[in-house]
Amino acid sequence: MSTVNEMRAVLFDRYGPPDVLYVGTLPKPVPGPGEVLVRVHAGSVNGGDLHGRAGEVRLVTDVNPRGWPKPMGLDFAGEVAEVGPGATGPKAGDRVWGVLGRTFGSFAEYVVVRPRAIALTPSGLGHVEAAALPVGTVAITALRDKGGLRPGERLLVRGAAGGVGHIAVQLGRAYGAHVTALTGAGTLDFVRGLGAHEAFDYAATDPSELGRFDVVFDTVGTDQRVFHRLLAPGGRMVTIAFDLRRPVSSLAYIAASARRGRSRVRFFSGKPSHRLLADLARHVEKGELRPAVDRVFPLDEVAAAHRALEAGGVRGKIVVHVS
């Protein structure tokens, strides 16, 4: 039981499997100048959470000056509880959503953020639904800003049923592209229902049979050389992942692709912002994008939420209800 100056939060004391996660207490944060305090109602489990918990991205997470225990969670939906001195924009009581970026800690009752890292939650969405969507800012950056996807072009989405992929399928349709989805056998109908013109089982399909694409969006990270070959003349490949089994060779291939100029592999990690979140909200409010919540777990069962995502076959997002 937390006190008025404490909050419940998901923590872990060592890298390892989902069972290292537990709910403990931390001091309730206080917003400083230019900051806002958000009461978190829900957040979703991302691939980055799994990698962070397992220690696969410790070059980033070990920079955390707090050391152990480490917090967990990247995105969130909730309401503004308090506005710090000089903070402009959001007001107490506003329903907001956001992403913490490269730091973790959204699986907690409160987070402190800058106003530029949040935006108003789209009208008509509850907190649980809203928590499934902030990662969509990555899909906007990949397709619109990095890939330059245009109406009439052919788009391939790898990992099309996942957290980022299911949003990319919907945005691809909104941008006027012909969308081909690569996913698991059990999620083919799901991605077709999101708007994919074609859907293929990745385990039963030779990539060479898929044809050529103007934009390949990769959320998986493996076999990048194979999918890079699927680009049509002038095509662009964008990835948000690399092969964690062979990180050196995978990143080396991405770096070496720079010699190919426009057809290089564009690798990036998301930089969420108020502008991107507001763009995402407009797609929701225009009916071009809808959340897909696979399952909802209470905060005390966050380890089960991680196991569910690791098991695969997830349709959209797994959400953790915080408060």
Side-chain angles (χ1 to χ4, degrees):
M1 179 70 69
S2 57
T3 68
V4 67
N5 294 319
E6 294 178 326
M7 66 174 183
R8 300 173 75 231
V10 173
L11 304 168
F12 61 113
D13 296 319
R14 67 186 190 281
Y15 296 121
D19 290 341
V20 303
L21 301 174
Y22 66 93
V23 178
T25 58
L26 291 175
K28 179 181 174 182
V30 177
E35 297 178 331
V36 297
L37 178 69
V38 176
R39 183 187 179 195
V40 178
H41 286 272
S44 72
V45 184
N46 296 284
D49 297 329
L50 307 186
H51 301 319
R53 184 212 71 229
E56 295 168 335
V57 289
R58 64 184 67 191
L59 289 177
V60 176
T61 57
D62 281 353
V63 173
N64 181 2
R66 292 164 53 179
W68 300 100
K70 296 185 185 297
M72 181 51 59
L74 287 168
D75 51 25
F76 59 90
E79 61 185 271
V80 176
E82 186 179 344
V83 177
T88 59
K91 306 180 296 297
D94 283 348
R95 298 174 68 254
V96 296
W97 62 356
V99 185
L100 294 182
R102 293 187 177 136
T103 62
F104 294 92
S106 68
F107 286 173
E109 291 179 310
Y110 293 91
V111 294
V112 164
V113 293
R114 294 280 182 180
R116 64 175 178 268
I118 58 175
L120 295 177
T121 303
S123 58
L125 290 188
H127 292 300
V128 167
E129 292 178 309
L133 286 175
V135 73
T137 56
V138 174
I140 289 180
T141 300
L143 300 185
R144 184 191 67 189
D145 302 335
K146 301 291 185 180
L149 184 64
R150 297 185 294 270
E153 291 193 318
R154 287 176 52 82
L155 165 69
L156 174 65
V157 180
R158 289 189 75 199
V164 177
H166 89 282
I167 296 173
V169 168
Q170 297 178 74
L171 290 176
R173 280 296 295 252
Y175 294 154
H178 182 281
V179 181
T180 298
L182 202 56
T183 186
T187 55
L188 292 171
D189 288 340
F190 169 67
V191 297
R192 291 187 187 107
L194 295 174
H197 295 88
E198 300 175 290
F200 296 91
D201 175 5
Y202 73 88
T205 305
D206 187 323
S208 64
E209 300 171 358
L210 295 172
R212 292 290 183 265
F213 298 91
D214 300 291
V215 175
V216 172
F217 179 34
D218 175 27
T219 73
V220 180
T222 58
D223 301 318
Q224 288 176 332
R225 187 185 305 269
V226 173
F227 288 92
H228 199 188
R229 296 192 189 109
L230 302 186
L231 291 182
R236 293 83 69 198
M237 181 170 171
V238 184
T239 184
I240 57 171
F242 58 91
D243 193 342
L244 289 169
R245 300 169 304 176
R246 306 175 183 85
V248 175
S249 60
S250 180
L251 289 170
Y253 178 75
I254 293 171
S257 76
R259 296 193 299 266
R260 302 181 64 173
R262 179 176 169 81
S263 63
R264 71 189 185 279
V265 179
R266 295 159 169 83
F267 173 70
F268 76 100
S269 59
K271 294 182 180 179
S273 66
H274 173 85
R275 179 183 65 83
L276 285 170
L277 288 162
D279 289 345
L280 195 67
R282 282 190 284 272
H283 284 293
V284 175
E285 291 165 350
K286 289 168 64 178
E288 297 171 338
L289 177 62
R290 68 179 190 271
V293 178
D294 186 291
R295 276 166 285 178
V296 181
F297 291 83
L299 190 68
D300 291 327
E301 297 180 17
V302 67
H306 272 229
R307 284 193 291 270
L309 184 57
E310 286 184 338
V314 173
R315 303 179 179 207
K317 295 306 293 283
I318 289 175
V319 174
V320 174
H321 188 257
V322 177
S323 63

PDB file of all heavy atoms in Angstrom, residues 45 77 87-88 92 98 113 119 124 129 141 158 163 174 192 203 212 217 243 245 251 261 269 285 303 322:
ATOM      1  N   VAL A  45       2.363  -2.795 -23.481  1.00  0.00           N
ATOM      2  CA  VAL A  45       3.640  -3.501 -23.489  1.00  0.00           C
ATOM      3  C   VAL A  45       4.220  -3.436 -24.895  1.00  0.00           C
ATOM      4  O   VAL A  45       3.554  -3.779 -25.875  1.00  0.00           O
ATOM      5  CB  VAL A  45       3.468  -4.969 -23.058  1.00  0.00           C
ATOM      6  CG1 VAL A  45       4.834  -5.653 -22.987  1.00  0.00           C
ATOM      7  CG2 VAL A  45       2.761  -5.054 -21.706  1.00  0.00           C
ATOM      8  N   ALA A  77      -1.466   6.513 -21.098  1.00  0.00           N
ATOM      9  CA  ALA A  77      -2.642   7.360 -21.270  1.00  0.00           C
ATOM     10  C   ALA A  77      -3.172   7.669 -19.875  1.00  0.00           C
ATOM     11  O   ALA A  77      -3.194   6.791 -19.006  1.00  0.00           O
ATOM     12  CB  ALA A  77      -3.701   6.668 -22.112  1.00  0.00           C
ATOM     13  N   ALA A  87       4.875  25.867 -16.833  1.00  0.00           N
ATOM     14  CA  ALA A  87       4.482  24.919 -17.879  1.00  0.00           C
ATOM     15  C   ALA A  87       3.286  25.476 -18.644  1.00  0.00           C
ATOM     16  O   ALA A  87       2.322  25.956 -18.046  1.00  0.00           O
ATOM     17  CB  ALA A  87       4.130  23.568 -17.276  1.00  0.00           C
ATOM     18  N   THR A  88       3.338  25.419 -19.953  1.00  0.00           N
ATOM     19  CA  THR A  88       2.254  25.939 -20.777  1.00  0.00           C
ATOM     20  C   THR A  88       1.618  24.802 -21.564  1.00  0.00           C
ATOM     21  O   THR A  88       2.252  23.795 -21.859  1.00  0.00           O
ATOM     22  CB  THR A  88       2.773  27.000 -21.762  1.00  0.00           C
ATOM     23  OG1 THR A  88       3.785  26.411 -22.600  1.00  0.00           O
ATOM     24  CG2 THR A  88       3.366  28.180 -21.021  1.00  0.00           C
ATOM     25  N   ALA A  92      -4.688  20.972 -15.639  1.00  0.00           N
ATOM     26  CA  ALA A  92      -5.088  19.901 -14.723  1.00  0.00           C
ATOM     27  C   ALA A  92      -6.454  19.361 -15.152  1.00  0.00           C
ATOM     28  O   ALA A  92      -7.380  20.126 -15.430  1.00  0.00           O
ATOM     29  CB  ALA A  92      -5.140  20.415 -13.291  1.00  0.00           C
ATOM     30  N   GLY A  98       0.986   9.830 -24.244  1.00  0.00           N
ATOM     31  CA  GLY A  98       2.359  10.164 -24.596  1.00  0.00           C
ATOM     32  C   GLY A  98       3.256   8.939 -24.542  1.00  0.00           C
ATOM     33  O   GLY A  98       2.831   7.829 -24.234  1.00  0.00           O
ATOM     34  N   VAL A 113       6.469  14.680 -17.114  1.00  0.00           N
ATOM     35  CA  VAL A 113       6.903  14.858 -18.505  1.00  0.00           C
ATOM     36  C   VAL A 113       6.880  16.338 -18.864  1.00  0.00           C
ATOM     37  O   VAL A 113       6.269  17.158 -18.180  1.00  0.00           O
ATOM     38  CB  VAL A 113       5.980  14.090 -19.487  1.00  0.00           C
ATOM     39  CG1 VAL A 113       6.116  12.591 -19.287  1.00  0.00           C
ATOM     40  CG2 VAL A 113       4.527  14.527 -19.328  1.00  0.00           C
ATOM     41  N   ALA A 119       0.079  14.912 -25.699  1.00  0.00           N
ATOM     42  CA  ALA A 119      -0.961  15.624 -26.446  1.00  0.00           C
ATOM     43  C   ALA A 119      -2.304  15.177 -25.901  1.00  0.00           C
ATOM     44  O   ALA A 119      -2.403  14.193 -25.156  1.00  0.00           O
ATOM     45  CB  ALA A 119      -0.859  15.329 -27.950  1.00  0.00           C
ATOM     46  N   GLY A 124     -13.441  10.337 -27.773  1.00  0.00           N
ATOM     47  CA  GLY A 124     -14.133   9.078 -28.001  1.00  0.00           C
ATOM     48  C   GLY A 124     -13.368   7.846 -27.573  1.00  0.00           C
ATOM     49  O   GLY A 124     -13.913   6.744 -27.623  1.00  0.00           O
ATOM     50  N   GLU A 129      -8.087   2.036 -24.457  1.00  0.00           N
ATOM     51  CA  GLU A 129      -7.962   2.098 -25.915  1.00  0.00           C
ATOM     52  C   GLU A 129      -6.852   3.057 -26.316  1.00  0.00           C
ATOM     53  O   GLU A 129      -6.049   2.773 -27.213  1.00  0.00           O
ATOM     54  CB  GLU A 129      -9.280   2.544 -26.531  1.00  0.00           C
ATOM     55  CG  GLU A 129     -10.412   1.551 -26.416  1.00  0.00           C
ATOM     56  CD  GLU A 129     -11.687   2.103 -27.010  1.00  0.00           C
ATOM     57  OE1 GLU A 129     -12.080   3.227 -26.645  1.00  0.00           O
ATOM     58  OE2 GLU A 129     -12.280   1.412 -27.846  1.00  0.00           O
ATOM     59  N   THR A 141       6.256   8.309 -38.502  1.00  0.00           N
ATOM     60  CA  THR A 141       7.616   8.695 -38.873  1.00  0.00           C
ATOM     61  C   THR A 141       8.170   7.783 -39.955  1.00  0.00           C
ATOM     62  O   THR A 141       8.785   8.240 -40.933  1.00  0.00           O
ATOM     63  CB  THR A 141       8.535   8.662 -37.641  1.00  0.00           C
ATOM     64  OG1 THR A 141       8.043   9.578 -36.656  1.00  0.00           O
ATOM     65  CG2 THR A 141       9.955   9.051 -38.010  1.00  0.00           C
ATOM     66  N   ARG A 158       6.218  -5.731 -42.499  1.00  0.00           N
ATOM     67  CA  ARG A 158       6.623  -6.947 -41.780  1.00  0.00           C
ATOM     68  C   ARG A 158       6.208  -6.822 -40.315  1.00  0.00           C
ATOM     69  O   ARG A 158       6.379  -5.785 -39.702  1.00  0.00           O
ATOM     70  CB  ARG A 158       8.130  -7.138 -41.821  1.00  0.00           C
ATOM     71  CG  ARG A 158       8.721  -7.529 -43.138  1.00  0.00           C
ATOM     72  CD  ARG A 158      10.192  -7.902 -42.947  1.00  0.00           C
ATOM     73  NE  ARG A 158      10.364  -9.206 -42.315  1.00  0.00           N
ATOM     74  CZ  ARG A 158      11.498  -9.603 -41.719  1.00  0.00           C
ATOM     75  NH1 ARG A 158      12.542  -8.777 -41.647  1.00  0.00           N
ATOM     76  NH2 ARG A 158      11.590 -10.801 -41.188  1.00  0.00           N
ATOM     77  N   GLY A 163       2.330  -4.397 -32.455  1.00  0.00           N
ATOM     78  CA  GLY A 163       1.983  -3.092 -31.915  1.00  0.00           C
ATOM     79  C   GLY A 163       2.162  -1.946 -32.878  1.00  0.00           C
ATOM     80  O   GLY A 163       1.271  -1.106 -33.031  1.00  0.00           O
ATOM     81  N   ALA A 174      -4.598   4.784 -45.239  1.00  0.00           N
ATOM     82  CA  ALA A 174      -4.957   6.201 -45.160  1.00  0.00           C
ATOM     83  C   ALA A 174      -4.110   7.045 -46.104  1.00  0.00           C
ATOM     84  O   ALA A 174      -4.591   8.054 -46.644  1.00  0.00           O
ATOM     85  CB  ALA A 174      -4.790   6.704 -43.722  1.00  0.00           C
ATOM     86  N   ARG A 192      -6.174  -8.298 -42.516  1.00  0.00           N
ATOM     87  CA  ARG A 192      -7.070  -7.974 -43.630  1.00  0.00           C
ATOM     88  C   ARG A 192      -8.199  -7.060 -43.142  1.00  0.00           C
ATOM     89  O   ARG A 192      -8.614  -6.126 -43.843  1.00  0.00           O
ATOM     90  CB  ARG A 192      -7.646  -9.249 -44.229  1.00  0.00           C
ATOM     91  CG  ARG A 192      -6.632 -10.119 -44.979  1.00  0.00           C
ATOM     92  CD  ARG A 192      -7.332 -11.273 -45.691  1.00  0.00           C
ATOM     93  NE  ARG A 192      -6.373 -12.207 -46.282  1.00  0.00           N
ATOM     94  CZ  ARG A 192      -6.124 -13.423 -45.800  1.00  0.00           C
ATOM     95  NH1 ARG A 192      -6.784 -13.873 -44.728  1.00  0.00           N
ATOM     96  NH2 ARG A 192      -5.241 -14.204 -46.390  1.00  0.00           N
ATOM     97  N   ALA A 203       5.712 -17.602 -42.335  1.00  0.00           N
ATOM     98  CA  ALA A 203       6.363 -18.899 -42.202  1.00  0.00           C
ATOM     99  C   ALA A 203       6.163 -19.790 -43.421  1.00  0.00           C
ATOM    100  O   ALA A 203       6.887 -20.773 -43.593  1.00  0.00           O
ATOM    101  CB  ALA A 203       5.844 -19.613 -40.960  1.00  0.00           C
ATOM    102  N   ARG A 212       7.632  -6.700 -55.916  1.00  0.00           N
ATOM    103  CA  ARG A 212       8.472  -5.537 -55.624  1.00  0.00           C
ATOM    104  C   ARG A 212       7.641  -4.463 -54.932  1.00  0.00           C
ATOM    105  O   ARG A 212       6.439  -4.331 -55.177  1.00  0.00           O
ATOM    106  CB  ARG A 212       9.078  -4.976 -56.914  1.00  0.00           C
ATOM    107  CG  ARG A 212      10.105  -5.913 -57.541  1.00  0.00           C
ATOM    108  CD  ARG A 212      11.368  -5.965 -56.695  1.00  0.00           C
ATOM    109  NE  ARG A 212      12.405  -6.812 -57.304  1.00  0.00           N
ATOM    110  CZ  ARG A 212      12.593  -8.084 -56.990  1.00  0.00           C
ATOM    111  NH1 ARG A 212      11.790  -8.668 -56.103  1.00  0.00           N
ATOM    112  NH2 ARG A 212      13.558  -8.787 -57.550  1.00  0.00           N
ATOM    113  N   PHE A 217       8.491  -1.631 -44.833  1.00  0.00           N
ATOM    114  CA  PHE A 217       8.590  -1.222 -43.429  1.00  0.00           C
ATOM    115  C   PHE A 217       8.781  -2.475 -42.586  1.00  0.00           C
ATOM    116  O   PHE A 217       7.910  -3.335 -42.514  1.00  0.00           O
ATOM    117  CB  PHE A 217       7.333  -0.462 -42.998  1.00  0.00           C
ATOM    118  CG  PHE A 217       7.365  -0.021 -41.552  1.00  0.00           C
ATOM    119  CD1 PHE A 217       8.553   0.352 -40.942  1.00  0.00           C
ATOM    120  CD2 PHE A 217       6.193   0.025 -40.797  1.00  0.00           C
ATOM    121  CE1 PHE A 217       8.583   0.756 -39.614  1.00  0.00           C
ATOM    122  CE2 PHE A 217       6.211   0.434 -39.475  1.00  0.00           C
ATOM    123  CZ  PHE A 217       7.405   0.803 -38.881  1.00  0.00           C
ATOM    124  N   ASP A 243      18.618  -7.381 -35.927  1.00  0.00           N
ATOM    125  CA  ASP A 243      18.655  -8.765 -35.474  1.00  0.00           C
ATOM    126  C   ASP A 243      19.445  -8.862 -34.172  1.00  0.00           C
ATOM    127  O   ASP A 243      20.672  -8.757 -34.169  1.00  0.00           O
ATOM    128  CB  ASP A 243      19.289  -9.644 -36.556  1.00  0.00           C
ATOM    129  CG  ASP A 243      19.083 -11.125 -36.294  1.00  0.00           C
ATOM    130  OD1 ASP A 243      18.765 -11.485 -35.142  1.00  0.00           O
ATOM    131  OD2 ASP A 243      19.245 -11.923 -37.235  1.00  0.00           O
ATOM    132  N   ARG A 245      20.014 -11.384 -32.463  1.00  0.00           N
ATOM    133  CA  ARG A 245      20.846 -12.595 -32.410  1.00  0.00           C
ATOM    134  C   ARG A 245      22.203 -12.331 -33.039  1.00  0.00           C
ATOM    135  O   ARG A 245      23.195 -12.975 -32.678  1.00  0.00           O
ATOM    136  CB  ARG A 245      20.141 -13.736 -33.135  1.00  0.00           C
ATOM    137  CG  ARG A 245      18.782 -14.127 -32.561  1.00  0.00           C
ATOM    138  CD  ARG A 245      18.062 -15.071 -33.512  1.00  0.00           C
ATOM    139  NE  ARG A 245      17.929 -14.462 -34.850  1.00  0.00           N
ATOM    140  CZ  ARG A 245      17.402 -15.093 -35.892  1.00  0.00           C
ATOM    141  NH1 ARG A 245      16.984 -16.335 -35.778  1.00  0.00           N
ATOM    142  NH2 ARG A 245      17.315 -14.476 -37.067  1.00  0.00           N
ATOM    143  N   LEU A 251      23.650  -4.521 -37.759  1.00  0.00           N
ATOM    144  CA  LEU A 251      23.885  -3.077 -37.785  1.00  0.00           C
ATOM    145  C   LEU A 251      24.920  -2.709 -38.846  1.00  0.00           C
ATOM    146  O   LEU A 251      24.841  -1.636 -39.454  1.00  0.00           O
ATOM    147  CB  LEU A 251      24.334  -2.604 -36.405  1.00  0.00           C
ATOM    148  CG  LEU A 251      23.241  -2.629 -35.322  1.00  0.00           C
ATOM    149  CD1 LEU A 251      23.847  -2.367 -33.949  1.00  0.00           C
ATOM    150  CD2 LEU A 251      22.159  -1.597 -35.632  1.00  0.00           C
ATOM    151  N   GLY A 261      22.538   5.023 -51.353  1.00  0.00           N
ATOM    152  CA  GLY A 261      21.834   6.296 -51.467  1.00  0.00           C
ATOM    153  C   GLY A 261      20.361   6.191 -51.102  1.00  0.00           C
ATOM    154  O   GLY A 261      20.012   5.764 -50.012  1.00  0.00           O
ATOM    155  N   SER A 269      15.115   5.124 -34.235  1.00  0.00           N
ATOM    156  CA  SER A 269      14.324   4.854 -33.040  1.00  0.00           C
ATOM    157  C   SER A 269      13.394   6.043 -32.858  1.00  0.00           C
ATOM    158  O   SER A 269      13.758   7.184 -33.131  1.00  0.00           O
ATOM    159  CB  SER A 269      15.213   4.673 -31.807  1.00  0.00           C
ATOM    160  OG  SER A 269      15.996   5.830 -31.580  1.00  0.00           O
ATOM    161  N   GLU A 285      -9.540  10.512 -35.131  1.00  0.00           N
ATOM    162  CA  GLU A 285     -10.790  11.263 -35.173  1.00  0.00           C
ATOM    163  C   GLU A 285     -11.409  11.297 -36.567  1.00  0.00           C
ATOM    164  O   GLU A 285     -12.617  11.492 -36.713  1.00  0.00           O
ATOM    165  CB  GLU A 285     -10.542  12.671 -34.629  1.00  0.00           C
ATOM    166  CG  GLU A 285     -10.260  12.650 -33.122  1.00  0.00           C
ATOM    167  CD  GLU A 285      -9.670  13.943 -32.587  1.00  0.00           C
ATOM    168  OE1 GLU A 285      -9.290  14.814 -33.417  1.00  0.00           O
ATOM    169  OE2 GLU A 285      -9.556  14.073 -31.349  1.00  0.00           O
ATOM    170  N   ALA A 303       3.933  -9.254 -15.245  1.00  0.00           N
ATOM    171  CA  ALA A 303       4.783 -10.355 -15.722  1.00  0.00           C
ATOM    172  C   ALA A 303       4.008 -11.228 -16.704  1.00  0.00           C
ATOM    173  O   ALA A 303       4.552 -11.666 -17.730  1.00  0.00           O
ATOM    174  CB  ALA A 303       5.285 -11.197 -14.548  1.00  0.00           C
ATOM    175  N   VAL A 322      -3.326   0.526 -15.102  1.00  0.00           N
ATOM    176  CA  VAL A 322      -2.528   0.972 -13.950  1.00  0.00           C
ATOM    177  C   VAL A 322      -3.399   1.452 -12.814  1.00  0.00           C
ATOM    178  O   VAL A 322      -3.231   1.033 -11.663  1.00  0.00           O
ATOM    179  CB  VAL A 322      -1.546   2.095 -14.399  1.00  0.00           C
ATOM    180  CG1 VAL A 322      -0.762   2.625 -13.192  1.00  0.00           C
ATOM    181  CG2 VAL A 322      -0.594   1.575 -15.468  1.00  0.00           C
TER     182      VAL A 322
END
